[in-house]
Amino acid sequence: MNLFDLTFMAMGGIIGAGIFSSVGEGIGVTGRSITLALIVGMVFQMSQQVRYVFTSSMFKVSGGMYSQDALVLTPYLTGVAGLMLFINALNWAVYGISIASYIGDLFPVLKNFPELTAAVALAIFFVIGYIGVSAFTKVLNAFGILKFVALGLFIFYGITKVQAGGFEGEPYFYGGTADFFTAIALMSFACGGATKIMNVQALCENPKRDIPKAWLISQLVVVVIYALLGYVASGVAPYDQVANQNLGAIGGMFMPIAVTGFFVVGGALLSISTSLLSSIPGTPLTVMGMADDGWLPKIFKNRLFVFILLYIINLIPIFLGFSLSELISMLLVPTMIITAIKNYRGMKMPEMYPEEWANCSIKCSIGLFKALLAISIVTSLITSAFSLRNLTMTQAIGTVIMTILVFVYPKIRMGSGKVKIVSTTDMDKEEAAAK
């Protein structure tokens, strides 16, 4: 993979199901300030990912982000981070809820059965993922350009319909500063995804040089697209008509029927589908790998068991009636806490790996590097705190309990003596030694 391949992959990773699912929710939280929330959310995401960018320019490891985490974390914290990867599979429920919303727009009769529609849709994707979809996924990925076209049409048709001065009583910063930061936390879900290129180092021509460049280029391009998208989505109609609506419903207010149909099918549904098909087959392998390392019981080595368990777990928030924003917030709370810990540990990278730091393709002083990671810690904790604020008391208590268990379980597992982690080394060094 060259620089162009990596840049396109990173952009595709960012512009995925999240943006089609959560912008309307964000408008509901902060009104027309969603445009600024998207921009700040992207800045937050970039700060939280900066350690991976530096690590990719220092090391070439086949294990992707998991291996990059292991380079700076203790074995215990490696287990914590791995367990969070398992829990984050709950974000598939977000996609199921979003699919049900868009299908309801196409077939209004199904609007009365959103939970069942979401459950059936997820079941179809889980079956396809279990059977094996390598060829099918490649075909769908070839149509990834459609989501860029769909968003382009949304912006093209809508930008002239925006009421720049606002509608009467139009709420900017709806709910005040606190809700604005809650929207930033929510939008960070839609701004992530560029780190997927960190997992393909072994397939790159020059990963230590090209991955950081692709990461930066993709972020700058997408933040412009997102700013225009938020501007249109929040400004084409009064707040009470666009708040908490999906982009298909908003697009139907100003786009021709045929274009709206293309947007829903070719943009939203295809984007969500490719996101699911690219993650469902691989995540069980990660869970099985954790079982191999001893973090999970032996039964988790059974692929069918893992698929069935993940499907059942994703049904829970769907039938409990969680909204998109609530489910996203519940996942972001522990994820951002762990991100802050990983980036705190990452501050020691120049001292831990002086040779690799000296040869890093990104030239940066140690002081600036640590300052960037300090910023990332602050933004991670802000995201976590305001995500927690978006939950009901019951949901908040459940999220806190889940977060505590994420830290307690690996400690118990290590105490059992069943954990054995295989360390990773720089592939460039392995190749040099072989020669």
Side-chain angles (χ1 to χ4, degrees):
M1 300 180 70
N2 56 32
L3 178 60
F4 176 83
D5 298 326
L6 290 167
T7 302
F8 191 79
M9 179 181 180
M11 290 175 61
I14 303 170
I15 305 177
I19 193 64
F20 289 96
S21 304
S22 58
V23 169
E25 298 278 342
I27 294 173
V29 173
T30 195
R32 297 191 70 173
S33 308
I34 189 64
T35 303
L36 184 58
L38 279 163
I39 295 172
V40 178
M42 183 67 78
V43 173
F44 273 34
Q45 271 290 337
M46 291 178 71
S47 72
Q48 292 154 14
Q49 297 170 8
V50 71
R51 178 182 60 85
Y52 287 118
V53 179
F54 274 91
T55 309
S56 295
S57 69
M58 294 168 61
F59 299 91
K60 181 182 177 182
V61 289
S62 60
M65 294 168 65
Y66 181 83
S67 297
Q68 291 185 16
D69 287 340
L71 288 168
V72 298
L73 297 178
T74 63
Y76 161 66
L77 289 175
T78 300
V80 171
L83 187 60
M84 197 60 233
L85 290 175
F86 180 22
I87 293 175
N88 268 327
L90 275 170
N91 66 23
W92 296 337
V94 174
Y95 299 158
I97 295 170
S98 185
I99 287 174
S101 174
Y102 281 105
I103 290 180
D105 289 338
L106 292 176
F107 306 100
V109 67
L110 295 178
K111 278 186 175 291
N112 297 322
F113 310 99
E115 295 87 1
L116 182 60
T117 303
V120 172
L122 277 185
I124 293 172
F125 283 106
F126 267 85
V127 170
I128 295 174
Y130 180 76
I131 294 174
V133 294
S134 57
F136 186 47
T137 302
K138 290 178 181 177
V139 172
L140 285 179
N141 286 341
F143 287 96
I145 191 67
L146 289 178
K147 63 187 174 187
F148 294 99
V149 174
L151 289 176
L153 289 171
F154 185 94
I155 294 169
F156 173 78
Y157 277 99
I159 199 156
T160 58
K161 305 293 193 303
V162 173
Q163 297 291 326
F167 297 90
E168 183 178 355
E170 188 68 24
Y172 285 87
F173 293 99
Y174 180 76
T177 303
D179 275 358
F180 174 67
F181 276 94
T182 300
I184 291 173
L186 181 61
M187 289 304 97
S188 68
F189 177 78
C191 295
T195 49
K196 289 183 178 180
I197 61 175
M198 313 296 175
N199 294 323
V200 295
Q201 282 187 301
L203 306 177
C204 300
E205 294 177 355
N206 193 334
K208 294 181 181 180
R209 180 198 66 194
D210 290 344
I211 284 180
K213 288 183 179 180
W215 175 84
L216 180 60
I217 293 170
S218 63
Q219 304 273 13
L220 295 177
V221 171
V222 172
V223 74
V224 174
I225 296 174
Y226 276 12
L228 292 171
L229 183 68
Y231 176 71
V232 170
S234 63
V236 293
Y239 170 83
D240 60 356
Q241 294 182 29
V242 295
N244 302 310
Q245 299 295 318
N246 65 52
L247 289 184
I250 296 174
M253 299 176 185
F254 58 85
M255 292 193 297
I257 294 177
V259 177
T260 301
F262 169 78
F263 179 84
V264 172
V265 177
L269 289 178
L270 182 60
S271 179
I272 296 170
S273 299
T274 52
S275 295
L276 280 169
L277 286 175
S278 65
S279 58
I280 286 179
T283 299
L285 297 179
T286 301
V287 174
M288 293 164 66
M290 290 178 63
D292 286 334
D293 284 345
W295 292 114
L296 296 169
K298 291 182 179 179
I299 192 172
F300 282 84
K301 295 182 181 182
N302 184 301
R303 185 166 174 263
L304 179 59
F305 170 81
V306 173
F307 264 85
I308 293 175
L309 179 64
L310 288 174
Y311 176 68
I312 293 174
I313 290 175
N314 275 277
L315 291 183
I316 295 173
I318 290 175
F319 283 98
L320 286 179
F322 283 82
S323 69
L324 286 171
S325 61
E326 290 169 343
L327 183 53
I328 291 169
S329 296
M330 289 185 71
L331 292 174
L332 283 174
V333 171
T335 298
M336 290 297 102
I337 291 174
I338 293 170
T339 297
I341 294 172
K342 290 191 290 188
N343 286 334
Y344 173 74
R345 294 277 306 179
M347 285 186 174
K348 301 178 181 179
M349 277 199 346
E351 291 81 11
M352 294 172 67
Y353 306 102
E355 179 183 347
E356 288 80 2
W357 175 261
N359 295 321
C360 180
S361 63
I362 304 175
K363 300 306 176 184
C364 173
S365 69
I366 294 178
L368 177 58
F369 171 72
K370 292 187 176 182
L372 290 172
L373 289 191
I375 293 172
S376 76
I377 293 170
V378 173
T379 61
S380 297
L381 294 178
I382 289 175
T383 302
S384 181
F386 281 94
S387 295
L388 189 63
R389 181 182 177 276
N390 193 43
L391 303 173
T392 65
M393 181 58 69
T394 301
Q395 292 166 348
I397 292 173
T399 301
V400 170
I401 293 173
M402 177 178 68
T403 304
I404 293 173
L405 291 177
V406 167
F407 284 90
V408 171
Y409 175 80
K411 179 68 72 175
I412 296 174
R413 197 66 181 172
M414 288 191 71
S416 69
K418 297 178 180 179
V419 176
K420 184 179 180 181
I421 301 176
V422 179
S423 62
T424 58
T425 55
D426 193 320
M427 294 171 64
D428 282 345
K429 288 189 174 182
E430 288 184 334
E431 293 170 3
K435 294 178 180 178

